Amino acid sequence: MHLAFSTAVPELADAYDADTVGGISRSIWAAVIWVPYMMRSERVANTFVNE
């Protein structure tokens, strides 16, 4: 959001240090890996049955 609207909220520029960007990127990569696994896994489907 800040990258798209950086001129609208310039005081947020200091909020995106290396640790914050690293944490966000780790979260995105974890979602890229785990969401497809949860959607396709038979083990997950057998564990979480919607009845």
Side-chain angles (χ1 to χ4, degrees):
M1 183 79 169
H2 173 69
L3 295 175
F5 301 106
S6 60
T7 57
V9 189
E11 60 270 9
L12 289 179
D14 295 334
Y16 292 97
D17 59 353
D19 291 335
T20 304
V21 173
I24 291 170
S25 64
R26 278 190 299 276
S27 298
I28 290 171
W29 280 111
V32 165
I33 293 168
W34 285 106
V35 169
Y37 171 75
M38 293 291 200
M39 298 298 290
R40 295 182 181 187
S41 172
E42 285 186 33
R43 182 179 293 167
V44 172
N46 290 333
T47 303
F48 303 103
V49 178
N50 295 324
E51 288 186 30

